[in-house]
Amino acid sequence: MSPKDSYSQFVNNPLGAKVASTLGLPQPVALRRYTPGEALATGPVLVIGESEGAHTIAGWLVDHRVDVRRDPGLKEKFSAILVVLDEAQRPEEVSAPLRTAGAALRRLASCGRVIVVARDPESTDTAAPAYRATHRGIAGATRSMAQEMRRGATANGILLADGVSASSASALGAVRFLLSGRSAYVSGQFVRVGSDAGAVPADHARPLAGKVAVVTGAARGIGASIINSLHRDGAQVVGIDVPAAGDQLAAVVNRLNGTALQLDITADDAGQRIIEHCRDRYGRLDIVVHNAGITRDKLLANMDAARWDSVIAVNLASQLRMNEAFLADRGATVSEQLRIATLASTSGIAGNRGQSNYAMSKAGVMGMTEATAPLLASTGGSMNAVAPGFIETEMTAKIPVATREVARRLNSLRQGGKPEDVAETIAFLVSDEAAGINGQTLRVCGQAIMGA
């Protein structure tokens, strides 16, 4: 069981709130998280911008019964603010819309959302310095805005590649994801939409209906949350874990009418055994989530081969071998449109003292994702990574109290995330609606303030 965040509980009662306010201490609020059937927005949404993309998004929101405002007015509170800058060519053009958004921030509701839509400066063919400066600058401003959010609000961006329309399935899917409680612990991040691929689900309550999904390390913690979310979204689920966790794994999958496969994923034939299990039980395999992972922390100066090699074997080498098997089987048991999601870590982005082996494995996962994504895209599939920050799990419960408390507060939301925050992001990324998002690593870290 994950530990309670006693500090957050204290500052969310009247006395604690008064003490924290007087002393200038962080005041994390209970985040709004996803509940099935929730409305797309909890109140009026302000859409800023005059581009065709802005009109498209505003019209799409209206079609989904959202109360849209195109002018901030003077008094109204907003559940979200969307700033659409996809046609900006020069820095001077974004001054007015960003300042308009800034002036409206004081009227953003608790756990509100700010979403900035721009062009991806990394994918553009436009060499004009002003253009690239504009869109890289927008990203910098959005990250800074996220650090100014209060009361559980978040600010994120959607970056469209050249030629990708704001009306594409993945662009609008990203708007839906970022507006919802699914993105509760995602802030200061960017969803990059690289193509117009993707399809709107027939039923948004069950976007994975008809799919078969495999999750490794599914017996507990983040893995159990992932398999729960995938099942809730309509998938038939296969949970995988080591034999030692067999009873716990069975308990998880039995509740979901899924099946369990006890398996050492470092075995050379692990990928083939997963394919055979899915072929025999379901006749297909559509989604793979590589969640299983271990830590064996030690300063590099004291690192022995056993600690180093075991982490690399479980966290990285096993995934490479399994993916090779899945790719080779496409069109047979494995779907041509295979979607893979994998767990990276903020340690793999910024490094972490005593975790050189773990950081290498997780940075390697991101590299693997970037290289595998084009191979899957050739048949309509995709692969993305999620990099969690401080998540409240059994593993983080073992961190010394003082260190744990510091880790909880070193992000823009001033609290740790929950396993379901990671699960919700993965459930979005493996959906057909996100097919235009490929090869990306999305951080679920509350905008952890770290060296990246």
Side-chain angles (χ1 to χ4, degrees), residues 102-352:
L105 289 181
R106 291 185 185 279
R107 288 186 277 139
L108 189 63
S110 179
C111 295
R113 300 286 191 265
V114 175
I115 303 172
V116 178
V117 181
R119 289 290 165 187
D120 188 348
E122 304 298 331
S123 72
T124 181
D125 293 329
T126 303
Y131 183 84
R132 290 206 180 191
T134 299
H135 290 277
R136 193 176 289 275
I138 292 169
T142 304
R143 289 192 185 94
S144 295
M145 194 172 359
Q147 293 192 17
E148 297 179 10
M149 293 292 105
R150 299 182 300 170
R151 304 189 303 278
T154 62
N156 293 287
I158 298 171
L159 301 180
L160 307 175
D162 276 357
V164 175
S165 165
S167 64
S168 68
S170 293
L172 295 176
V175 172
R176 180 187 297 278
F177 169 70
L178 293 174
L179 280 177
S180 74
R182 290 176 182 264
S183 62
Y185 202 59
V186 178
S187 193
Q189 308 306 309
F190 298 90
V191 178
R192 288 185 152 88
V193 181
S195 77
D196 284 323
V200 178
D203 181 358
H204 281 292
R206 293 174 59 82
L208 303 181
K211 307 285 188 181
V212 175
V214 167
V215 180
T216 67
R220 59 175 64 85
I222 291 174
S225 286
I226 293 170
I227 204 167
N228 270 312
S229 292
L230 300 184
H231 173 262
R232 179 206 61 199
D233 286 354
Q236 293 178 290
V237 291
V238 178
I240 295 175
D241 219 311
V242 293
D247 289 345
Q248 196 160 357
L249 177 64
V252 169
V253 299
N254 287 344
R255 287 197 301 270
L256 309 176
N257 294 318
T259 57
L261 177 59
Q262 296 181 20
L263 177 68
D264 177 0
I265 59 169
T266 64
D268 289 343
D269 64 345
Q272 194 56 44
R273 288 187 59 189
I274 292 170
I275 293 170
E276 290 170 1
H277 178 93
C278 291
R279 183 192 62 210
D280 295 344
R281 299 298 185 96
Y282 306 100
R284 60 187 298 156
L285 170 57
D286 304 285
I287 296 166
V288 174
V289 180
H290 293 300
N291 165 72
I294 61 172
T295 57
R296 298 289 185 270
D297 297 351
K298 207 75 170 177
L299 293 176
L300 184 58
N302 301 322
M303 185 75 69
D304 56 54
R307 287 176 185 272
W308 183 278
D309 292 343
S310 60
V311 168
I312 301 303
V314 174
N315 296 3
L316 181 58
S318 66
Q319 293 189 29
L320 286 164
R321 275 197 301 275
M322 286 188 282
N323 288 347
E324 289 170 359
F326 300 144
L327 283 160
D329 192 78
R330 279 179 299 173
T333 300
V334 176
S335 168
E336 295 272 17
Q337 291 78 45
L338 175 67
R339 310 225 176 280
I340 302 177
T342 182
L343 269 289
S345 169
T346 52
S347 292
I349 296 172
N352 200 20

Side-chain angles (χ1 to χ4, degrees), residues 372-383:
T372 306
L375 305 178
L376 288 162
S378 64
T379 55
S382 65
M383 180 172 185

